[in-house]
Amino acid sequence: MFMGLTLAQIALGIAHVKTLHVPLGVLMFGMSVLQLSRVWTDRRTQVAAAGRRGGDVHAVPAHADHL
């Protein structure tokens, strides 16, 4: 999905369609921040869980849906 939005963003920028290019850029930035917050939250949860178990943080598998 993000790849499609990126390609649209590039095409709109090249075509100088600022009325769509700028809002799409803002939307993509917001989506990036949202995704980053999800990754950080998940990582903090994994670190806390590993700490309670006394295990290694790296032993907790990463979720592929956050990539």
Side-chain angles (χ1 to χ4, degrees):
M1 179 174 151
F2 211 81
M3 181 61 131
L5 291 175
T6 302
L7 293 173
Q9 178 72 345
I10 292 169
L12 291 169
I14 290 171
H16 301 287
V17 183
K18 293 179 184 176
T19 56
L20 296 176
H21 178 74
V22 173
L24 182 57
V26 172
L27 174 68
M28 290 174 66
F29 177 77
M31 289 173 57
S32 297
V33 171
L34 178 64
Q35 184 66 12
L36 180 61
S37 71
R38 288 179 178 170
V39 170
W40 272 347
T41 302
D42 188 48
R43 179 70 178 155
R44 290 183 70 192
T45 303
Q46 290 177 2
V47 169
R52 284 192 300 268
R53 288 191 317 263
D56 185 13
V57 174
H58 300 290
V60 178
H63 297 291
D65 61 337
H66 292 300
L67 299 178

